[in-house]
Amino acid sequence: MSNQKRITERSNELTKSIDTGGAEDILAALCRSDDQIFEGFEDYDSLQSPSILAFIEELISSSADLLEATLTGKENNVIVFSGSGTSGRMAWLCARTFNRLLSQRGLSPCFAYCISGGDEALIVSKELPEDSPALGVQDLLERVNGKDRALVVGITCGLSAPYVAGQLDWALKQDHATPCLIGFNPVAIARDDVVENWDKTCRGVFTELEAVSAARAEDGGGGWQGFVINPVVGPEPITGSTRMKGGSATKILLEVVFILAIEKVLSSSQLAHLLSNPTSVGELTEAKKARPTGPVSTADAISLYRQAWRLSR
């Protein structure tokens, strides 16, 4: 498997004729491609696979513990989202969204973000910093220094960003930091290129983290050693790192995990009330009516997104 082309970089058979179709054909092809976010790709674990849901639930529980310690003033903790390009922009968007949710409830914001290339990269493509593990660590230290604990959520759709890999490698070595990888390829086919002035590769770091995550699962979870959440959502509809589908899947994962974690801390029963921007996933009205009140499970939350996806078409 290690010599295979990364799934996120392959052509998608569902959209191979997208450049020759009419408007309706293009929309239909894009919808079929988006369905793979929830249905999965080939025989790989999907967003709704039991193994992926189990890791998501563990991350929700651990995040809630960290948030509770922070919001009650027991600890000074931080949750950092980090990425390059689209992943970094999702990190920025979600960090701001969750901080706003906390501020609206009179609570101190505790989310931060890193994007390779700095804030200018939010609007201008800056590819060179993506390949610098050292810059990733430098940016991360600015967010975590002085904190009691840190959850470092590294987002790299293709499992290919040394900027993120450097941060996760640093977090693996710290007692007070927990690394979490979010991406959409199997770790075995992550980028394995040599990076200048670095003695590791993305695949090497992610493989180590995957082993830690698996050992944690075997021990019954509950610890803070690390997480890997990498459902395979299939190739992008437009080949070439467009991250149309990867960006959507990233936003779904971050919102499900951290809205449910905030909900757990606040003992709220209304997931929809906490959603940052319902219009971003379509009209949720009918989906909310169909859902009974009470605590929302991870599977239910993802199902809400899937229903919203269909209602928005």
Side-chain angles (χ1 to χ4, degrees), residues 207-247:
T207 298
E208 181 181 356
L209 179 53
E210 185 176 51
V212 169
S213 180
R216 178 184 178 284
E218 290 176 2
D219 290 339
W224 272 90
Q225 296 92 337
F227 301 86
V228 173
I229 299 177
N230 59 330
V232 175
V233 299
E236 292 289 347
I238 307 298
T239 308
S241 298
T242 57
R243 304 309 182 217
M244 296 166 68
K245 188 157 52 174

Side-chain angles (χ1 to χ4, degrees), residues 62-80 99 102 108-112 143-144 146-151 176 224:
S62 294
S63 300
D65 290 342
L66 184 145
L67 281 168
E68 184 174 15
T70 305
L71 299 178
T72 56
K74 297 177 182 177
E75 296 178 0
N76 180 19
N77 301 326
V78 65
I79 297 173
V80 182
N99 281 338
L102 295 174
S108 298
C110 59
F111 291 88
R143 277 73 172 174
V144 304
K147 303 297 183 180
D148 295 316
R149 286 190 289 160
L151 173 61
H176 71 294
W224 272 90

Side-chain angles (χ1 to χ4, degrees), residues 152-175:
V152 181
V153 182
I155 310 159
T156 167
C157 294
L159 270 60
S160 57
Y163 177 88
V164 170
Q167 295 172 330
L168 296 178
D169 181 49
W170 176 88
L172 272 167
K173 303 171 184 175
Q174 312 302 315
D175 292 334

Side-chain angles (χ1 to χ4, degrees), residues 14-15 22-35 313:
L14 298 177
T15 56
E24 291 186 2
D25 295 328
I26 292 172
L27 288 174
L30 291 174
C31 287
R32 289 195 299 271
S33 176
D34 278 349
D35 283 340
R313 296 179 178 178

Side-chain angles (χ1 to χ4, degrees), residues 159-201:
L159 270 60
S160 57
Y163 177 88
V164 170
Q167 295 172 330
L168 296 178
D169 181 49
W170 176 88
L172 272 167
K173 303 171 184 175
Q174 312 302 315
D175 292 334
H176 71 294
T178 298
C180 172
L181 169 65
I182 290 180
F184 307 108
N185 282 317
V187 168
I189 57 174
R191 178 181 175 185
D192 202 33
D193 299 337
V194 174
V195 178
E196 187 176 0
N197 298 321
W198 198 36
D199 61 353
K200 299 189 176 183
T201 66

